[in-house]
Protein backbone atom coordinates (compact mmCIF):
# COMPACT_ATOMS: atom_id res chain seq x y z
CA UNK A 1 0.00 0.00 0.00
CA UNK A 2 1.62 3.25 -1.13
CA UNK A 3 0.84 6.74 0.16
CA UNK A 4 -0.79 7.48 -3.21
CA UNK A 5 -3.26 4.60 -2.77
CA UNK A 6 -4.05 5.80 0.71
CA UNK A 7 -4.58 9.34 -0.59
CA UNK A 8 -7.09 8.08 -3.16
CA UNK A 9 -8.95 6.21 -0.42
CA UNK A 10 -8.83 9.29 1.82
CA UNK A 11 -10.35 11.43 -0.95
CA UNK A 12 -13.08 8.88 -1.58
CA UNK A 13 -14.26 8.55 1.97
CA UNK A 14 -13.16 11.62 3.98
CA UNK A 15 -14.74 15.09 3.78
CA UNK A 16 -13.40 17.37 1.03
CA UNK A 17 -12.90 20.12 3.63
CA UNK A 18 -10.45 18.06 5.69
CA UNK A 19 -7.26 19.61 4.36
CA UNK A 20 -3.96 17.74 4.00
CA UNK A 21 -0.47 19.24 3.87
CA UNK A 22 1.94 18.87 0.93
CA UNK A 23 1.64 17.89 -2.74
CA UNK A 24 2.23 14.28 -1.72
CA UNK A 25 0.59 13.98 1.72
CA UNK A 26 2.49 11.94 4.30
CA UNK A 27 1.46 9.06 6.50
CA UNK A 28 3.42 9.30 9.76
CA UNK A 29 3.89 5.85 11.23
CA UNK A 30 6.47 5.95 14.01
CA UNK A 31 8.26 8.50 16.12
CA UNK A 32 10.64 9.19 18.94
CA UNK A 33 11.44 12.53 20.56
CA UNK A 34 11.16 15.39 18.07
CA UNK A 35 11.47 13.05 15.08
CA UNK A 36 8.82 11.18 13.16
CA UNK A 37 9.07 8.67 10.32
CA UNK A 38 6.71 8.29 7.38
CA UNK A 39 5.47 5.13 5.67
CA UNK A 40 8.25 5.45 3.06
CA UNK A 41 10.92 5.34 5.77
CA UNK A 42 11.87 9.03 5.71
CA UNK A 43 12.48 10.61 9.11
CA UNK A 44 11.67 14.27 9.78
CA UNK A 45 12.35 16.74 12.53
CA UNK A 46 8.85 17.86 13.51
CA UNK A 47 8.36 21.58 14.15
CA UNK A 48 4.55 21.39 14.23
CA UNK A 49 4.14 18.35 16.53
CA UNK A 50 0.59 17.33 15.67
CA UNK A 51 -0.50 21.00 15.78
CA UNK A 52 1.18 21.70 19.14
CA UNK A 53 -0.35 18.58 20.65
CA UNK A 54 2.67 16.25 20.89
CA UNK A 55 4.01 18.71 23.40
CA UNK A 56 6.76 16.35 24.62
CA UNK A 57 7.39 14.95 21.15
CA UNK A 58 6.77 11.33 20.19
CA UNK A 59 6.66 8.51 22.73
CA UNK A 60 7.89 10.25 25.89
CA UNK A 61 8.72 7.45 28.35
CA UNK A 62 6.99 9.13 31.32
CA UNK A 63 3.68 9.35 29.47
CA UNK A 64 3.94 5.87 27.96
CA UNK A 65 4.59 4.35 31.39
CA UNK A 66 1.71 6.21 33.06
CA UNK A 67 -0.70 5.12 30.31
CA UNK A 68 0.54 1.51 30.34
CA UNK A 69 0.11 1.37 34.10
CA UNK A 70 -3.48 2.63 33.82
CA UNK A 71 -4.34 0.25 30.98
CA UNK A 72 -2.77 -2.58 32.96
CA UNK A 73 -5.31 -2.01 35.70
CA UNK A 74 -8.06 -2.81 33.23
CA UNK A 75 -9.90 0.49 33.64
CA UNK A 76 -9.80 2.88 30.69
CA UNK A 77 -13.25 4.28 31.38
CA UNK A 78 -15.71 4.48 34.25
CA UNK A 79 -17.69 7.69 33.45
CA UNK A 80 -17.89 10.65 35.78
CA UNK A 81 -20.63 8.90 37.77
CA UNK A 82 -17.78 7.54 39.89
CA UNK A 83 -14.88 9.22 41.66
CA UNK A 84 -11.88 9.57 39.36
CA UNK A 85 -8.71 10.06 41.37
CA UNK A 86 -6.45 11.13 38.49
CA UNK A 87 -9.11 13.56 37.25
CA UNK A 88 -9.51 15.17 40.66
CA UNK A 89 -5.74 15.44 41.13
CA UNK A 90 -5.36 17.01 37.69
CA UNK A 91 -8.21 19.46 38.41
CA UNK A 92 -6.51 20.45 41.67
CA UNK A 93 -3.23 21.13 39.85
CA UNK A 94 -4.83 23.11 37.03
CA UNK A 95 -6.97 25.11 39.47
CA UNK A 96 -3.82 26.10 41.39
CA UNK A 97 -1.80 26.81 38.24
CA UNK A 98 -4.61 28.96 36.82
CA UNK A 99 -4.35 31.66 39.50
CA UNK A 100 -8.14 32.02 39.26
CA UNK A 101 -9.65 32.43 42.74
CA UNK A 102 -11.75 29.45 43.97
CA UNK A 103 -11.24 27.82 40.59
CA UNK A 104 -13.10 24.71 39.45
CA UNK A 105 -12.34 22.57 36.40
CA UNK A 106 -14.55 20.74 33.91
CA UNK A 107 -12.87 18.28 31.53
CA UNK A 108 -13.85 17.64 27.91
CA UNK A 109 -12.24 15.68 25.07
CA UNK A 110 -11.33 18.64 22.86
CA UNK A 111 -10.69 22.36 22.67
CA UNK A 112 -13.93 22.95 20.81
CA UNK A 113 -15.93 21.38 23.62
CA UNK A 114 -13.92 23.34 26.16
CA UNK A 115 -14.90 26.59 24.47
CA UNK A 116 -18.52 25.41 24.14
CA UNK A 117 -18.52 24.80 27.88
CA UNK A 118 -17.00 28.22 28.63
CA UNK A 119 -19.54 29.95 26.37
CA UNK A 120 -22.38 28.03 28.03
CA UNK A 121 -21.14 29.15 31.46
CA UNK A 122 -20.66 32.80 30.49
CA UNK A 123 -23.97 33.14 28.64
CA UNK A 124 -25.87 31.40 31.46
CA UNK A 125 -24.16 33.43 34.18
CA UNK A 126 -24.86 36.70 32.41
CA UNK A 127 -28.28 35.69 31.01
CA UNK A 128 -27.18 36.96 27.59
CA UNK A 129 -26.09 35.33 24.34
CA UNK A 130 -24.10 38.36 23.27
CA UNK A 131 -20.36 37.73 22.94
CA UNK A 132 -17.33 39.74 21.82
CA UNK A 133 -14.71 37.80 19.89
CA UNK A 134 -11.64 39.02 18.03
CA UNK A 135 -11.10 39.31 14.31
CA UNK A 136 -8.79 36.57 12.98
CA UNK A 137 -9.66 34.25 15.89
CA UNK A 138 -10.17 30.47 15.85
CA UNK A 139 -12.06 28.72 18.64
CA UNK A 140 -13.31 25.41 17.19
CA UNK A 141 -15.62 23.68 14.77
CA UNK A 142 -19.11 23.58 16.33
CA UNK A 143 -21.94 26.11 15.93
CA UNK A 144 -21.04 28.30 18.89
CA UNK A 145 -17.29 28.04 18.35
CA UNK A 146 -17.42 28.75 14.60
CA UNK A 147 -19.66 31.69 15.50
CA UNK A 148 -16.85 33.20 17.57
CA UNK A 149 -14.25 32.33 14.92
CA UNK A 150 -13.30 35.51 13.07
CA UNK A 151 -11.67 33.82 10.12
CA UNK A 152 -13.65 33.32 6.93
CA UNK A 153 -11.63 30.22 6.04
CA UNK A 154 -12.69 28.39 9.22
CA UNK A 155 -16.22 29.64 9.78
CA UNK A 156 -18.32 27.36 7.63
CA UNK A 157 -21.78 28.48 8.75
CA UNK A 158 -23.50 31.76 9.47
CA UNK A 159 -25.96 29.96 11.76
CA UNK A 160 -25.24 30.81 15.39
CA UNK A 161 -26.63 30.41 18.88
CA UNK A 162 -24.77 33.62 19.80
CA UNK A 163 -24.87 37.31 18.87
CA UNK A 164 -21.23 37.96 18.08
CA UNK A 165 -19.39 41.22 17.50
CA UNK A 166 -15.72 41.25 16.55
CA UNK A 167 -13.22 43.52 18.26
CA UNK A 168 -9.91 44.69 16.82
CA UNK A 169 -6.50 43.88 17.96
CA UNK A 170 -5.29 40.28 17.65
CA UNK A 171 -3.68 40.55 14.22
CA UNK A 172 -1.75 43.76 14.13
CA UNK A 173 0.00 43.31 10.77
CA UNK A 174 -3.24 43.67 8.77
CA UNK A 175 -5.14 45.82 11.26
CA UNK A 176 -6.48 49.27 10.37
CA UNK A 177 -4.35 50.52 13.29
CA UNK A 178 -1.10 48.85 12.17
CA UNK A 179 0.89 52.09 11.77
CA UNK A 180 0.47 53.02 15.44
CA UNK A 181 3.03 52.32 18.16
CA UNK A 182 2.14 49.90 20.96
CA UNK A 183 0.53 52.40 23.32
CA UNK A 184 -1.39 54.18 20.55
CA UNK A 185 -2.46 50.82 19.06
CA UNK A 186 -3.87 49.69 22.41
CA UNK A 187 -5.62 53.03 22.93
CA UNK A 188 -7.20 52.82 19.45
CA UNK A 189 -8.36 49.23 20.07
CA UNK A 190 -9.88 50.21 23.41
CA UNK A 191 -11.69 53.20 21.89
CA UNK A 192 -13.01 50.90 19.22
CA UNK A 193 -14.17 48.35 21.83
CA UNK A 194 -16.11 51.03 23.71
CA UNK A 195 -17.73 52.19 20.50
CA UNK A 196 -18.51 48.62 19.49
CA UNK A 197 -20.17 47.89 22.87
CA UNK A 198 -22.23 51.08 22.64
CA UNK A 199 -23.28 50.71 19.02
CA UNK A 200 -23.51 47.00 18.18
CA UNK A 201 -24.75 45.36 21.38
CA UNK A 202 -27.74 45.71 23.68
CA UNK A 203 -25.30 46.31 26.54
CA UNK A 204 -25.76 43.06 28.44
CA UNK A 205 -22.78 41.28 26.84
CA UNK A 206 -21.86 37.90 28.39
CA UNK A 207 -18.15 37.75 27.71
CA UNK A 208 -15.19 38.46 25.53
CA UNK A 209 -13.37 35.34 24.32
CA UNK A 210 -9.84 35.72 22.94
CA UNK A 211 -6.63 33.83 22.22
CA UNK A 212 -3.63 35.64 23.77
CA UNK A 213 -1.66 34.65 20.64
CA UNK A 214 -3.87 33.75 17.69
CA UNK A 215 -2.91 30.24 16.64
CA UNK A 216 -4.72 29.29 13.44
CA UNK A 217 -4.63 33.02 12.65
CA UNK A 218 -0.86 32.77 12.08
CA UNK A 219 0.65 33.16 15.56
CA UNK A 220 -0.43 36.77 15.57
CA UNK A 221 0.70 38.54 18.75
CA UNK A 222 -0.95 41.74 19.99
CA UNK A 223 1.13 44.16 22.09
CA UNK A 224 1.48 43.10 25.74
CA UNK A 225 -1.12 44.92 27.80
CA UNK A 226 -3.90 44.94 25.19
CA UNK A 227 -6.02 42.48 27.16
CA UNK A 228 -5.42 44.32 30.45
CA UNK A 229 -6.75 47.46 28.78
CA UNK A 230 -9.70 45.52 27.34
CA UNK A 231 -10.43 43.95 30.73
CA UNK A 232 -10.71 47.37 32.33
CA UNK A 233 -13.55 48.22 29.93
CA UNK A 234 -15.16 44.80 30.42
CA UNK A 235 -14.96 45.09 34.22
CA UNK A 236 -16.71 48.48 34.14
CA UNK A 237 -19.65 46.72 32.49
CA UNK A 238 -19.60 43.36 34.31
CA UNK A 239 -18.57 41.50 31.14
CA UNK A 240 -16.59 38.27 31.70
CA UNK A 241 -13.24 37.53 30.05
CA UNK A 242 -12.45 34.03 28.72
CA UNK A 243 -8.88 33.32 27.63
CA UNK A 244 -8.61 30.51 25.06
CA UNK A 245 -5.32 28.90 26.07
CA UNK A 246 -5.69 25.87 23.79
CA UNK A 247 -2.46 26.78 21.98
CA UNK A 248 -0.80 29.19 24.41
CA UNK A 249 -1.01 27.21 27.66
CA UNK A 250 1.56 25.13 29.58
CA UNK A 251 4.51 27.51 29.12
CA UNK A 252 4.61 27.42 25.32
CA UNK A 253 5.00 31.20 25.08
CA UNK A 254 8.16 31.01 27.20
CA UNK A 255 7.58 34.12 29.29
CA UNK A 256 4.52 32.88 31.13
CA UNK A 257 2.75 29.63 31.95
CA UNK A 258 -0.47 30.94 30.33
CA UNK A 259 -0.42 33.19 27.29
CA UNK A 260 -2.61 35.72 29.06
CA UNK A 261 0.19 36.19 31.62
CA UNK A 262 1.82 38.62 29.18
CA UNK A 263 -1.06 40.99 29.88
CA UNK A 264 -0.84 40.80 33.66
CA UNK A 265 -4.47 39.81 34.21
CA UNK A 266 -6.33 36.81 35.57
CA UNK A 267 -9.33 35.91 33.41
CA UNK A 268 -12.69 34.69 34.71
CA UNK A 269 -12.19 31.44 32.79
CA UNK A 270 -9.56 29.76 30.64
CA UNK A 271 -9.95 26.93 28.18
CA UNK A 272 -7.25 24.38 27.38
CA UNK A 273 -6.69 21.23 25.28
CA UNK A 274 -4.07 20.17 22.69
CA UNK A 275 -0.73 19.56 24.45
CA UNK A 276 -1.93 18.83 27.97
CA UNK A 277 -1.96 15.03 27.63
CA UNK A 278 0.79 14.87 24.99
CA UNK A 279 -1.55 13.54 22.30
CA UNK A 280 -4.21 11.77 24.36
CA UNK A 281 -7.59 13.46 23.97
CA UNK A 282 -8.31 16.03 26.64
CA UNK A 283 -9.64 19.55 26.96
CA UNK A 284 -11.29 21.58 29.63
CA UNK A 285 -12.31 24.82 31.20
CA UNK A 286 -11.03 26.27 34.45
CA UNK A 287 -13.25 29.02 35.85
CA UNK A 288 -14.15 30.95 38.98
CA UNK A 289 -16.18 28.63 41.20
CA UNK A 290 -19.35 30.74 41.09
CA UNK A 291 -19.15 30.89 37.30
CA UNK A 292 -18.57 27.12 36.98
CA UNK A 293 -21.42 26.35 39.36
CA UNK A 294 -23.99 28.63 37.66
CA UNK A 295 -25.62 25.90 35.56
CA UNK A 296 -28.97 24.78 36.93
CA UNK A 297 -29.15 21.57 34.89
CA UNK A 298 -26.91 18.53 34.81
CA UNK A 299 -24.07 18.40 32.32
CA UNK A 300 -21.63 15.61 31.50
CA UNK A 301 -18.88 14.73 29.05
CA UNK A 302 -18.67 10.96 28.61
CA UNK A 303 -15.04 10.86 27.53
CA UNK A 304 -13.93 14.15 29.09
CA UNK A 305 -11.16 13.62 31.63
CA UNK A 306 -11.13 9.84 31.27
CA UNK A 307 -8.59 7.80 33.29
CA UNK A 308 -6.12 7.31 30.42
CA UNK A 309 -6.04 10.96 29.33
CA UNK A 310 -5.81 12.27 32.88
CA UNK A 311 -2.88 10.05 33.90
CA UNK A 312 -1.16 11.06 30.65
CA UNK A 313 -1.82 14.72 31.46
CA UNK A 314 -0.45 14.29 34.99
CA UNK A 315 2.75 12.80 33.54
CA UNK A 316 3.05 15.60 30.95
CA UNK A 317 2.63 18.29 33.62
CA UNK A 318 5.27 16.59 35.81
CA UNK A 319 7.77 16.81 32.96
CA UNK A 320 6.83 20.36 31.92
CA UNK A 321 7.18 21.66 35.46
CA UNK A 322 10.12 19.61 36.76
CA UNK A 323 12.28 20.27 33.68
CA UNK A 324 11.33 23.93 33.27
CA UNK A 325 10.15 23.48 29.69
CA UNK A 326 8.73 27.00 29.82
CA UNK A 327 12.33 28.20 30.25
CA UNK A 328 13.40 25.96 27.38
CA UNK A 329 10.66 27.47 25.19
CA UNK A 330 11.89 30.98 26.05
CA UNK A 331 15.53 30.12 25.31
CA UNK A 332 15.06 28.20 22.05
CA UNK A 333 12.29 30.53 20.90
CA UNK A 334 14.77 33.41 21.15
CA UNK A 335 17.32 31.44 19.07
CA UNK A 336 14.75 30.80 16.35
CA UNK A 337 13.32 34.33 16.35
CA UNK A 338 16.77 35.90 16.07
CA UNK A 339 17.87 33.55 13.29
CA UNK A 340 14.68 33.99 11.31
CA UNK A 341 14.73 37.77 11.65
CA UNK A 342 18.18 37.67 10.07
CA UNK A 343 16.69 35.73 7.16
CA UNK A 344 13.90 38.33 6.88
CA UNK A 345 16.55 41.06 6.49
CA UNK A 346 17.81 39.51 3.26
CA UNK A 347 14.61 37.85 1.91
CA UNK A 348 11.83 40.30 0.97
CA UNK A 349 9.47 37.29 0.83
CA UNK A 350 9.60 37.23 4.65
CA UNK A 351 7.79 40.33 5.85
CA UNK A 352 7.33 39.59 9.52
CA UNK A 353 8.75 37.07 12.00
CA UNK A 354 6.73 37.15 15.21
CA UNK A 355 5.82 35.05 18.19
CA UNK A 356 6.61 34.17 21.74
CA UNK A 357 8.57 31.17 22.94
CA UNK A 358 8.09 28.11 20.76
CA UNK A 359 5.18 29.62 18.88
CA UNK A 360 6.60 31.46 15.88
CA UNK A 361 4.87 32.83 12.79
CA UNK A 362 6.58 33.81 9.53
CA UNK A 363 4.39 36.01 7.34
CA UNK A 364 5.16 35.70 3.62
CA UNK A 365 4.20 38.48 1.24
CA UNK A 366 4.31 39.30 -2.46
CA UNK A 367 6.72 41.69 -4.20
CA UNK A 368 4.69 44.69 -2.99
CA UNK A 369 5.68 43.79 0.59
CA UNK A 370 2.09 43.39 1.75
CA UNK A 371 -0.14 41.10 -0.38
CA UNK A 372 -0.35 37.66 1.25
CA UNK A 373 1.61 35.02 -0.67
CA UNK A 374 -0.06 31.68 0.13
CA UNK A 375 1.56 29.77 -2.78
CA UNK A 376 4.98 30.73 -1.38
CA UNK A 377 4.01 29.27 2.02
CA UNK A 378 2.99 26.01 0.30
CA UNK A 379 6.33 26.02 -1.58
CA UNK A 380 8.31 26.48 1.63
CA UNK A 381 6.49 23.48 3.14
CA UNK A 382 7.69 21.38 0.19
CA UNK A 383 11.24 22.70 0.55
CA UNK A 384 11.47 22.03 4.29
CA UNK A 385 9.98 18.58 3.78
CA UNK A 386 12.56 17.77 1.12
CA UNK A 387 15.25 18.77 3.65
CA UNK A 388 13.74 16.72 6.48
CA UNK A 389 11.68 19.24 8.46
CA UNK A 390 7.91 19.45 8.99
CA UNK A 391 6.42 22.88 9.70
CA UNK A 392 2.87 24.23 9.82
CA UNK A 393 1.07 27.00 8.05
CA UNK A 394 -1.98 29.14 8.65
CA UNK A 395 -2.99 32.77 8.89
CA UNK A 396 -6.09 34.49 7.58
CA UNK A 397 -4.84 34.04 4.01
CA UNK A 398 -2.81 30.84 4.41
CA UNK A 399 0.46 32.74 3.93
CA UNK A 400 1.98 32.32 7.37
CA UNK A 401 4.41 29.53 8.29
CA UNK A 402 3.91 28.27 11.82
CA UNK A 403 6.60 26.76 14.02
CA UNK A 404 5.55 24.99 17.20
CA UNK A 405 8.02 22.21 18.00
CA UNK A 406 7.79 20.07 21.14
CA UNK A 407 8.61 22.04 24.31
CA UNK A 408 11.47 19.63 25.10
CA UNK A 409 13.26 20.42 21.83
CA UNK A 410 17.06 20.47 22.20
CA UNK A 411 19.41 23.29 21.23
CA UNK A 412 20.91 21.06 18.49
CA UNK A 413 17.42 20.37 17.06
CA UNK A 414 16.57 24.08 17.14
CA UNK A 415 19.79 24.86 15.25
CA UNK A 416 19.11 22.09 12.72
CA UNK A 417 15.55 23.32 12.11
CA UNK A 418 16.73 26.90 11.74
CA UNK A 419 19.32 25.85 9.16
CA UNK A 420 16.70 24.01 7.10
CA UNK A 421 14.22 26.87 7.34
CA UNK A 422 16.88 29.38 6.30
CA UNK A 423 17.82 27.35 3.21
CA UNK A 424 14.16 26.76 2.32
CA UNK A 425 13.12 30.41 2.66
CA UNK A 426 16.16 31.54 0.68
CA UNK A 427 15.36 29.06 -2.09
CA UNK A 428 11.75 30.20 -2.45
CA UNK A 429 12.74 33.87 -2.21
CA UNK A 430 15.34 33.34 -4.97
CA UNK A 431 12.84 31.45 -7.16
CA UNK A 432 10.40 34.29 -6.89
CA UNK A 433 12.95 36.89 -7.89
CA UNK A 434 14.33 34.94 -10.85
C1 LIG B 1 -7.16 28.43 20.00
C2 LIG B 1 -7.95 27.19 19.71
N1 LIG B 1 -9.11 26.98 20.34
C3 LIG B 1 -9.84 25.87 20.12
C4 LIG B 1 -9.44 24.92 19.22
C5 LIG B 1 -10.27 23.71 18.98
O1 LIG B 1 -9.67 22.59 19.54
P1 LIG B 1 -10.06 21.12 19.03
O2 LIG B 1 -9.55 20.99 17.63
O3 LIG B 1 -9.38 20.22 20.03
O4 LIG B 1 -11.54 21.00 19.10
C6 LIG B 1 -8.23 25.08 18.55
C7 LIG B 1 -7.76 24.06 17.57
O5 LIG B 1 -6.90 24.28 16.78
C8 LIG B 1 -7.47 26.25 18.79
O6 LIG B 1 -6.32 26.46 18.15
Amino acid sequence: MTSEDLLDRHRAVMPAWLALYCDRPLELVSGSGSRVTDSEGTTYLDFFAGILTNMLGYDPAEVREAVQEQIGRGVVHTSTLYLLRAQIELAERIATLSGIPDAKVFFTSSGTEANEAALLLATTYRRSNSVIALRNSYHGRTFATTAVTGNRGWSASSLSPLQVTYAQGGYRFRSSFRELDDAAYIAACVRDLRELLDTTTAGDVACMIAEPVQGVGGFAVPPDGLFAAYKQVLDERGILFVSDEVQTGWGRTGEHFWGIGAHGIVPDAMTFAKGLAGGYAIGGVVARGDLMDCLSANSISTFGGNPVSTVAAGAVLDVVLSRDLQGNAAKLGATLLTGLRDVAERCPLVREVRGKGLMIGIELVGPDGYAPDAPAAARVLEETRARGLLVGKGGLYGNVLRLAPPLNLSQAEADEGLEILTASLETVDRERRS
Side-chain angles (χ1 to χ4, degrees):
M1 170 67 55
T2 65
S3 301
E4 277 97 273
D5 294 332
L6 202 57
L7 178 59
D8 288 343
R9 288 168 58 192
H10 174 103
R11 290 201 172 120
V13 77
M14 307 298 281
W17 37 263
L18 202 59
L20 290 162
Y21 272 173
C22 294
D23 291 344
R24 282 188 313 110
L26 301 88
E27 182 193 7
L28 302 176
V29 295
S30 62
S32 175
S34 300
R35 295 186 199 265
V36 66
T37 303
D38 72 9
S39 54
E40 293 169 7
T42 309
T43 296
Y44 302 89
L45 183 59
D46 191 352
F47 266 28
F48 207 35
I51 322 183
L52 295 81
T53 303
N54 300 324
M55 198 160 77
L56 302 182
Y58 294 86
D59 194 31
E62 298 85 345
V63 178
R64 181 184 355 102
E65 281 158 20
V67 167
Q68 278 172 344
E69 212 256 320
Q70 183 63 39
I71 291 173
R73 286 201 234 160
V75 174
V76 297
H77 178 75
T78 69
S79 85
T80 46
L81 297 174
Y82 305 97
L83 289 169
L84 287 162
R85 186 174 298 274
Q87 187 183 90
I88 294 162
E89 284 170 0
L90 184 63
E92 287 168 345
R93 290 179 89 176
I94 292 173
T96 304
L97 286 164
S98 75
I100 296 175
D102 304 318
K104 288 192 168 185
V105 182
F106 176 67
F107 289 105
T108 64
S109 329
S110 70
T112 295
E113 288 171 85
N115 283 329
E116 281 280 346
L119 291 165
L120 178 67
L121 295 175
T123 52
T124 304
Y125 190 90
R126 294 274 297 153
R127 308 303 308 160
S128 161
N129 76 336
S130 176
V131 171
I132 308 292
L134 260 61
R135 299 177 193 187
N136 196 45
S137 56
Y138 179 85
H139 296 291
R141 49 161 292 280
T142 52
F143 276 111
T145 56
T146 50
V148 290
T149 288
N151 181 331
R152 180 69 193 78
W154 291 96
S155 200
S157 174
S158 61
L159 302 176
S160 169
L162 303 169
Q163 299 278 342
V164 183
T165 312
Y166 291 94
Q168 297 266 358
Y171 184 27
R172 188 176 185 169
F173 182 69
R174 293 187 192 279
S175 153
S176 323
F177 305 145
R178 68 181 164 275
E179 271 93 20
L180 304 177
D181 67 26
D182 284 5
Y185 181 85
I186 291 175
C189 290
V190 167
R191 265 197 312 276
D192 190 68
L193 175 64
R194 284 189 192 282
E195 187 193 339
L196 183 138
L197 288 166
D198 291 343
T199 58
T200 69
T201 74
D204 59 344
V205 174
C207 67
M208 171 183 274
I209 182 165
E211 301 155 87
V213 175
Q214 294 183 326
V216 172
F219 292 164
V221 193
D224 288 355
L226 173 71
F227 291 113
Y230 272 172
K231 190 153 187 308
Q232 231 173 349
V233 178
L234 302 177
D235 285 348
E236 285 165 16
R237 304 176 190 222
I239 300 168
L240 302 168
F241 182 74
V242 178
S243 183
D244 180 337
E245 298 279 349
V246 167
Q247 298 211 8
T248 47
W250 325 117
R252 175 155 297 272
T253 62
E255 301 168 347
H256 298 276
F257 193 73
W258 305 102
I260 200 63
H263 301 263
I265 54 168
V266 177
D268 299 288
M270 293 194 280
T271 55
F272 55 83
K274 289 215 185 281
L276 174 58
Y280 290 88
I282 197 162
V285 50
V286 51
R288 272 173 21 207
D290 60 328
L291 175 55
M292 184 65 85
D293 286 340
C294 79
L295 301 186
S296 57
N298 291 320
S299 199
I300 188 175
S301 167
T302 296
F303 292 117
N306 76 74
V308 176
S309 294
T310 44
V311 297
V316 170
L317 274 186
D318 285 346
V319 174
V320 167
L321 296 170
S322 67
R323 298 206 201 137
D324 186 24
L325 295 192
Q326 180 183 321
N328 194 50
K331 184 177 121 210
L332 299 186
T335 302
L336 292 171
L337 278 170
T338 307
L340 290 165
R341 284 181 178 145
D342 279 353
V343 178
E345 294 283 306
R346 49 184 191 276
C347 294
L349 169 72
V350 181
R351 179 56 203 270
E352 184 171 81
V353 177
R354 58 181 176 242
K356 278 181 188 282
L358 287 176
M359 200 173 180
I360 295 174
I362 308 170
E363 176 122 15
L364 304 185
V365 293
D368 70 347
Y370 188 68
D373 195 340
R379 275 286 301 124
V380 176
L381 247 63
E382 298 297 337
E383 286 294 320
T384 62
R385 176 189 179 173
R387 292 172 167 85
L389 176 74
L390 302 180
V391 300
K393 72 184 167 72
L396 192 54
Y397 302 107
N399 65 314
V400 182
L401 300 170
R402 293 163 70 201
L403 312 181
L407 295 186
N408 54 353
L409 192 76
S410 70
Q411 180 72 55
E413 289 164 342
D415 293 340
E416 181 185 338
L418 179 59
E419 211 175 293
I420 294 177
L421 271 159
T422 303
S424 303
L425 287 163
E426 283 173 350
T427 300
V428 176
D429 185 68
R430 212 176 311 116
E431 265 173 23
R432 214 192 44 193
R433 279 190 280 158
S434 62

